[in-house]
């Protein structure tokens, strides 16, 4: 296969011209030494717990007992870093480095130490021999630092532990950061993931003037853990077609194979990066000129770099007669038995000495000054960029008063109104007041989720071809829509972690597509909270709508309320779940979420017009408590009730209130209390969750011995899981979604799951002592009423008038 | 923009030559009528509940009260179906139709009815006017059929409710089905998803002789719900580059715009399909010849069809003065107010009559015989293919006796052995005995998960470039590895639903990537169980390893045991979770899972060498019970214990047994019972789950009033959720993963989460009445011991010898 050695690959191989420039040669020799220093430190981290500068021969006690780490990808990561530094220092170009293969943690820790940032963040790891010893020892060591580009790593917003999200993070970071260059190294393993494959279309959403630049660097080292990668095993033409098909102009650098001198590769890499940076400048200048001239800004063809270097480049070529460099065997720890096998140990020492540490570090173990001078200064260092510690750059949102958009609720049962529709009108104000740091993402559902109000204030940003007849679509806009939940999530994460704010709106069922991405973001936040130099970032806010109870069009496949269950497995400090029952409580909830920091807020709310229960003031008070008795729907008058009806979620609240209406009419003597829950975490123990209600308060609401019938939006077990330590838990009976559904009417859906008002009344009769015998007739009437509704619906195709037209009698 | 009208798009537009062939013209006129019939039936399903043949003027009472359905994609789906029928009938080519935009349900229901299959499956929907009335009425009607290509739809293995999985399903169906053509319609909305974007690489895994053919048909109608699609808004050259980059030869058909006569489009479509089918034949013949000649079979360049037709083609061009056909407004129900708005109703009637039903159906409402003759016969009908009802084709696996690979366990504490390593050796036999219908999928982790034993019997199948030095990689093999969990899952689903068997092995944490895909498959199984004509298929088997407790290399980002929590939200009938504690129990468990049907089995097992507890016979007996007292680790001698130690999972079992050892030594008088759980569902109530233990049996194991300390593999709440109805629930105290982790030693990990042996002993002391006071010294000793271990680990970087070298004293 013919491979281009470097340069723009316009379908043919281009040989780079090496410039006979002595100064450049010297620069590149210095660069090579800096790179060798980074590699030396990387190998040291994987293997050594002592003797960091090899001042004595390597002995077993210098070697860590457990050898953990990923060498294979590391020299490529340090190579790119060193070369980017040359450009950044020269051009004073603010840059962020996104490490797709974040498991190459030693590499990015090493560069941070070389740039001095590591010692600034961690005083116990100074920039000298003692610091180097600690740097080595702590890596993948109990009580030390993780093996990945974790939150502990300066300069990182992306751990890369779960592959696939680098490119989306990079684009998210670039949005609204016109000065920023985001260099995104994508491993060829990562390139196989669906998330990464789908992220290539991000360039259709990047504005070439008002957003920054993303430079994807597809690093083909050819192998994953134990197998070749797909991208490395297709003809180069095919790969370049793919990249062109993704709207990029590919540049190719291929080097280091068959023992090629790294100096030759450095020269080509410097050339190709010069070409690329010049091309980026031309693109941005052209776009700025277009905009200045009032022309429509077109999507440019951004460069992409394909970088082929051997896996484990500069490491052992063979171990025990088996090839390692350039194979999958270089993935983790190439020499496995260094402590016990003298031959391996000698080979490690030879490997370490091959970087010539004496040329890199002075007698104190400090990086030699001529090398230290290579890195950019201060915040220009990629390891120190404030963009990778977004909380430093975070500005509070300007939040207009949501009361201006509140629904008028003269009394309970007003409306009907759409909760998300109401929210959309307020979000338009939020968008307008925060043009530079607030984005709404979602998979083509802004209108379907009834948030179209935002389009009075902004458009969908889209750099693909726009046509007459398109609605609310422009080259600039604060809404990003792409039918790819992973990409929505990745873009928003990148945006938040670099110090901005946002909201993800999504069909409730399909948010599970990002379960695993949520995990990673939650873990990032969990860890970041314990790192003093990381500043709090804006919370990740989910608005889940088009929910389980109202999938009239789509049916069973679109019904899954379990994302909250998934979220609650993460640490209580960072997760919140809200189920506002109507429009004003939704406004108050989202207002609260947009002010919060370092959390994941899940808000579940309906889009269909429904009854409104609380005025603005009542909503604000109710949301502040998160849980409370609705006096107007209770008749226990401050005394002890016979039964408590709990409810959480808009549809369950409607059914619970309608059940109260039935109970009042049929069993006026029964003392009923209705407790509505907005903040689900209030149900949990205060020792388990910061929002947890003290036992005394919980008992005050739900009693210690009375039956509780709880109508819940999602899977019933969640309520049990949250309340199992409560004194009255044994009496809590939960109705919720039990995985019954199809394309049917709203009331038929609640009936299918026994969450309907009639069934709640039956539950009350069954659970309140004495009622079952005395009111067997009423119970039968409820059974019959359910049958009537079912029959009516099957015959007429819509809900029976007595449920469809029901209103709270007030 | 220049668009090719049809033909192979070698980078330039090619005008099709229309043949002056009268017979062909007649054929296509018939085809057009068949297509019109399908469209007529589709519109009828969305709108009508009576008057199906328009024998009287359309009146409000003929219209459904709730108009639900997706028209936009439908005419494209029926168009492709009609044209494929022509080829299938001519060539007797077995074919399966995968409907990416499965929400176009009316279209595929319509074609199944036209082919007679629908009436064969559903006697109450005969192939006449009365049947047509019922066909219309039932669609999206309460008690009727879903709006998507659901399990109820004959000919479907793919609902398409959650977009993104069509192409992976198609490839999964084609594997080991050399005769089969899988036509896969991909919507341009779906094409934006990560799952679909990553699925294009599937052709690197398809063998051109021994697997079938997949024909992707990228259907660009340009719009999603409310927005344009990305693929429709990039230059055609870019799109074709993408497809070439994916290794395809693109053909383009563009038609129906600006009122173009469908007959012209039919002619071009027939031509392009003839070209494509000829090309497929050439490819397959060439590959077969290569193989016959003993040459290495190369990856061919398979055709792909890009089909551009207007969204909502043949529907209303404008409604109330706003364009509809060819815009996003055609997505669902183009005419919204047909019942109340006379103008809309007239327009609907005009629309329906535009298909000229009188030319399509006879007076009895039957499809006219000359049209009925167009469809293929019997099983050749795509709506009737047995491949879409895989249980019909399912053969039992030949399962060799796993005892041949069982670990010799002379007594508890033998070993250490790797559980998955042992399993891999047996799987090699399974692979060898089932060459044609068993596949193992996974994201490049077969070796990392220590299943490398299978490579003694088979290779990884890979049609990319293979190179010297590659291991266990060949053009044919039963292992599919791609670093894309979604693709692994999609391929396996397609394989299982078409009547074969398989196993998905995955890192435990990252299986969450397919949470949402699992949802859809589970829902498919849940629904299928209620459909009499759907035959049971093989279960979806997950082997989750490299689990939370042993992520020594990767740390926190690789730790999440919550997939089981997610799975258990689905219906109990179809979900199972197993946590075998050692190698022989793992063998027995997987043997059981591979024999099961219509389930999702989640098996969690470690790969690292660990102690072995049960001999083969003991393992079989223990797995058959699913839960049981380990007498050898208990000293309650059939009497009532003072405390029960429960455990589930290999690491928790090790810690629980080690805790028993400590208790025996320090508190010999304490009667301890150890209960090990393999089948997690045994913990649940028998009324909740088919595997649930009757209360009496549960109480017999866990007592009704003694403290239970339960060491669990995952998040502790799950055990509470499963047991909250049990009499002794209040005394069950669970230890498990509480989201604490980093790169550290195995024992440090369990200590971080209070799951270690010392902490379990502390829990026993705290919970058993009287011990806390009498044995405060022992408790303190445990605290100190934990500190000693922690300190040792931080100093030496490995676990303290007393835990690392501990063995059960027997």
């Amino acid at each position: 296969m013919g491979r281009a050695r470097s340069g723009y690959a316009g379908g043919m191989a281009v040989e780079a011209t090496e410039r006979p420039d002595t100064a450049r040669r010297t620069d590149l020799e210095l660069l090579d030494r800096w790179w060798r220093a980074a590699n030396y430190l990387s190998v040291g981290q994987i293997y050594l717990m002592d003797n960091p500068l090899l001042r004595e021969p390597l002995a077993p006690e210098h070697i860590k007992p457990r050898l953990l780490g990923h060498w294979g990808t590391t020299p490529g990561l340090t190579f790119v870093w060193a070369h980017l530094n040359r450009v950044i220092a020269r051009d004073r170009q603010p840059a962020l480095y996104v490490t797709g293969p974040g498991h190459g943690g030693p590499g990015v820790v090493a560069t941070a130490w070389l740039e001095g940032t590591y010692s600034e963040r961690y005083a116990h790891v100074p920039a000298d021999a003692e610091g180097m010893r600690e740097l080595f020892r702590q890596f993948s060591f109990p009580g030390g630092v993780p093996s990945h580009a974790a939150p502990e790593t300066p300069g990182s917003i992306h751990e890369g532990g779960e592959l696939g999200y680098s490119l989306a993070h990079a684009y998210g970071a670039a949005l609204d950061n016109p000065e920023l260059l985001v260099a995104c190294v994508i491993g060829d393993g990562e390139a196989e993931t669906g998330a990464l494959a789908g992220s290539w279309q991000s360039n259709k959403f990047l504005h070439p003037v008002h957003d920054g630049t993303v430079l994807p660097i597809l690093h083909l080292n050819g192998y994953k853990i134990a197998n070749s990668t797909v991208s490395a095993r297709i003809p180069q033409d095919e790969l370049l077609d793919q990249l062109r098909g993704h709207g990029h102009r590919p540049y190719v650098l291929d080097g280091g194979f068959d023992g090629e001198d790294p100096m030759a590769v450095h020269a080509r890499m410097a050339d190709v990066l010069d070409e690329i940076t010049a091309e980026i400048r031309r693109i941005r200048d052209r776009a700025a000129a277009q905009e200045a001239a009032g022309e429509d800004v077109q999507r440019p063809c951004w460069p992409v770099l394909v970088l082929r270097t051997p896996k484990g480049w500069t490491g052992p070529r063979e171990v025990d007669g088996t090839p390692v460099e350039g194979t999958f065997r270089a993935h983790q720890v190439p020499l496995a038995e260094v402590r016990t096998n003298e031959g391996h140990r000698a080979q490690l020492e030879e490997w370490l000495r091959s970087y010539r540490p004496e040329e890199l570090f002075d007698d104190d173990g400090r990086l030699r000054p001529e090398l230290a001078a290579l890195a950019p200064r201060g915040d220009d260092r990629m390891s120190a960029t404030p963009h990778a510690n977004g909380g430093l750059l975070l500005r509070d949102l300007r939040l207009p008063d949501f009361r201006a958009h509140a629904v008028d609720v003269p009394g309970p049962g007003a409306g009907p109104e759409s909760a998300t529709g109401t929210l959309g009108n307020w979000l338009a104000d939020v968008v307008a007041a925060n043009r530079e740091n607030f984005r709404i993402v979602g998979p083509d559902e802004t209108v379907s989720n009834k948030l179209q109000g935002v389009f009075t204030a902004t458009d969908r940003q889209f750099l693909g071809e726009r046509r007459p007849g398109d609605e609310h679509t422009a080259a600039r806009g604060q809404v990003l829509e792409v039918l790819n939940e992973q990409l929505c999530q990745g873009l928003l994460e990148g945006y938040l972690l670099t110090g901005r704010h946002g909201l993800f709106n999504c069909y409730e069922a399909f948010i599970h597509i990002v379960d695993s991405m949520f995990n990673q973001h939650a873990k990032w936040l969990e860890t970041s909270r314990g790192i003093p130099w990381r500043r709090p970032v804006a919370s990740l806010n989910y608005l889940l709508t088009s929910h389980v109870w109202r999938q009239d069009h789509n049916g069973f496949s679109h019904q899954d309320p379990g994302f909250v269950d998934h979220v609650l497995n993460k640490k209580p400090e960072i997760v919140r779940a809200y189920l506002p029952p109507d429009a004003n409580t939704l406004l108050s909830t989202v207002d609260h979420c947009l002010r919060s920091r370092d959390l994941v807020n899940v808000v579940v709310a309906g889009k269909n017009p429904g009854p409104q229960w609380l005025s603005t003031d009542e909503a604000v008070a109710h949301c502040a408590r998160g849980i409370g008795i609705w006096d107007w729907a209770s008749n226990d008058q401050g005394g002890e009730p016979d039964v408590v009806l709990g409810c959480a979620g808009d549809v369950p609240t409607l059914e619970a209130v309608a059940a109260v209406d039935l109970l009042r009419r049929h069993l006026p003597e029964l003392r009923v209390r209705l407790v509505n829950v907005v903040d689900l975490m209030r149900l949990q123990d205060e020792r388990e969750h910061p929002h947890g209600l003290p036992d005394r308060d919980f008992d005050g609401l739900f009693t210690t011995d009375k039956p509780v019938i709880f109508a819940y939006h999602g899977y019933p077990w969640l309520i049990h899981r949250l309340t199992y330590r409560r004194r009255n838990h044994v009496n809590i009976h939960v109705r919720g979604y039990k995985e019954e559904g199809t394309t049917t009417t709203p009331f038929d859906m609640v009936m299918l799951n026994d969450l309907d008002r009639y069934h709640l009344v039956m539950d009350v009769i069954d659970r309140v002592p004495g009622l079952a015998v005395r009111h067997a007739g009423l119970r039968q009437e409820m059974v019959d009423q359910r049958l009537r509704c079912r029959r009516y619906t099957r015959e007429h195709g819509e809900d029976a008038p007595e449920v469809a037209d029901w209103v709270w009698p007030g």
Side-chain angles (χ1 to χ4, degrees), chain A residues 440-453:
Chain A
I440 296 173
V441 300
D444 183 30
E445 290 158 7
T446 314
V447 171
S448 176
N449 290 336
K450 300 220 190 295
L451 297 173
Q452 65 275 7

Side-chain angles (χ1 to χ4, degrees), chain A residues 152 175 193 210 247 291 328 333 341 525 567 610 659 761:
Chain A
E152 289 89 340
L175 289 167
T193 64
H210 300 283
E291 188 174 66
F328 60 84
V333 177
N341 178 324
L525 294 180
V567 164
V761 170

Side-chain angles (χ1 to χ4, degrees), chain A residues 775-789:
Chain A
H775 296 285
L778 177 60
R779 194 183 191 290
Q780 188 56 46
E781 198 176 309
M782 295 296 109
V783 173
D784 294 344
Q785 182 59 36
R786 280 165 57 85
L787 282 174
R788 266 198 302 281
C789 283

Side-chain angles (χ1 to χ4, degrees), chain A residues 508-509 511-512 515 518-519 542-545 547-548 560-571 575-580 600-605 648-649 678-681 683-684 689 712-715 717-719 721-722:
Chain A
E508 180 187 45
I511 196 66
H512 276 299
D515 273 5
F518 154 80
N519 276 352
Y542 292 102
L543 174 65
L544 307 185
T545 180
H547 64 50
V548 54
D560 188 301
F563 187 63
V564 172
D565 303 52
H566 176 69
V567 164
L568 295 191
N569 274 344
K570 289 292 162 282
K571 282 204 184 151
V575 291
R576 304 286 184 271
Y578 299 98
L579 291 143
V600 177
N601 296 304
V602 182
V603 182
V604 185
V678 179
D679 175 353
L680 216 50
M681 307 325 295
L683 293 177
Q684 211 166 7
H689 196 282
Y712 173 55
H713 171 84
Y715 294 107
W717 355 88
L718 186 70
I719 301 301
R721 165 176 157 183
L722 295 174

Side-chain angles (χ1 to χ4, degrees), chain A residues 633-653:
Chain A
S634 309
N635 62 354
D636 60 332
Q637 317 310 12
E640 192 72 352
D642 299 312
V643 63
V644 178
L645 284 185
C647 51
D650 53 2
V651 166
T653 299

Side-chain angles (χ1 to χ4, degrees), chain A residues 372-699:
Chain A
L374 295 179
R377 300 276 145 254
D379 285 358
D380 280 356
R381 294 171 295 178
M382 288 190 290
S383 58
T385 175
H387 293 288
N389 186 7
L392 288 174
L393 304 173
L394 188 67
R395 285 177 291 118
D396 287 350
L397 281 179
R398 294 187 203 94
L399 285 179
D401 192 348
F402 61 81
R403 288 161 197 263
H405 296 282
V407 169
D408 184 33
V409 181
E417 292 285 348
S418 159
T420 56
T422 305
L423 177 67
N425 296 333
W426 177 60
L427 285 177
D429 291 358
V430 177
V431 157
N434 302 277
R435 292 284 181 202
E436 305 301 329
N437 64 343
F438 181 72
R439 294 266 184 176
I440 296 173
V441 300
D444 183 30
E445 290 158 7
T446 314
V447 171
S448 176
N449 290 336
K450 300 220 190 295
L451 297 173
Q452 65 275 7
V454 299
F455 291 131
T456 59
T458 191
D459 289 308
R460 302 179 184 98
Q461 177 160 318
F462 186 55
L463 279 292
E465 193 193 329
R466 293 183 299 277
R467 294 192 192 152
D470 288 353
E471 291 186 351
H472 312 307
T473 302
R476 283 190 82 185
Q478 287 166 266
V479 174
L480 296 170
E481 274 190 5
V482 58
L483 209 165
N484 184 322
E485 287 80 359
Q486 293 173 312
L487 185 48
C488 291
Q489 169 93 11
L491 290 171
L492 183 56
E493 288 177 356
Y495 196 67
L496 298 176
L497 290 171
T498 49
R500 284 79 62 79
H501 304 261
L503 177 72
F504 184 174
N505 78 98
C506 190
Y507 275 30
E508 180 187 45
F510 299 151
I511 196 66
H512 276 299
I513 293 171
V514 303
D515 273 5
S516 209
M517 297 184 77
F518 154 80
N519 276 352
Q520 296 303 326
H521 188 74
K523 282 173 180 279
W524 184 275
L525 294 180
E526 288 171 9
T527 305
S528 294
R529 283 184 165 237
I531 301 171
W533 58 266
R534 285 236 172 240
R535 310 308 307 150
V537 295
S539 300
L540 171 55
N541 300 307
Y542 292 102
L543 174 65
L544 307 185
T545 180
S546 303
H547 64 50
V548 54
W549 301 109
R550 295 305 303 272
Q551 278 297 343
D552 312 9
H553 260 74
N554 294 300
F556 195 43
S557 63
H558 285 51
Q559 294 165 353
D560 188 301
F563 187 63
V564 172
D565 303 52
H566 176 69
V567 164
L568 295 191
N569 274 344
K570 289 292 162 282
K571 282 204 184 151
E573 292 78 32
I574 64 131
V575 291
R576 304 286 184 271
Y578 299 98
L579 291 143
D582 66 1
N584 291 338
T585 48
L586 176 62
L587 285 172
S588 176
T589 299
V590 175
D591 178 79
H592 173 78
C593 293
L594 290 178
R595 294 172 195 275
S596 70
R597 297 286 180 271
D598 272 357
L599 298 176
V600 177
N601 296 304
V602 182
V603 182
V604 185
K607 67 183 182 185
N608 301 84
Q612 302 299 306
W613 311 113
L614 303 187
S615 70
T616 320
D617 289 341
E618 289 163 348
V620 169
H622 186 52
C623 290
R625 282 190 302 267
I627 187 170
I629 298 171
W630 281 2
D631 283 325
W632 54 266
S634 309
N635 62 354
D636 60 332
Q637 317 310 12
E640 192 72 352
D642 299 312
V643 63
V644 178
L645 284 185
C647 51
D650 53 2
V651 166
T653 299
L654 166 60
E655 291 308 312
V657 173
V660 165
D661 180 28
L662 288 165
L663 289 169
R664 282 192 183 183
R665 279 191 275 145
H666 294 287
L667 298 173
E669 74 289 0
L670 188 75
R671 284 163 307 167
V672 179
R673 174 184 294 171
L674 189 133
V675 176
N676 181 268
V677 183
V678 179
D679 175 353
L680 216 50
M681 307 325 295
R682 298 297 273 165
L683 293 177
Q684 211 166 7
D685 200 294
E686 62 183 331
R687 283 153 300 187
E688 294 284 322
H689 196 282
H691 285 197
L693 216 54
D695 272 339
R696 203 187 28 184
D697 296 353
F698 186 92
D699 295 348

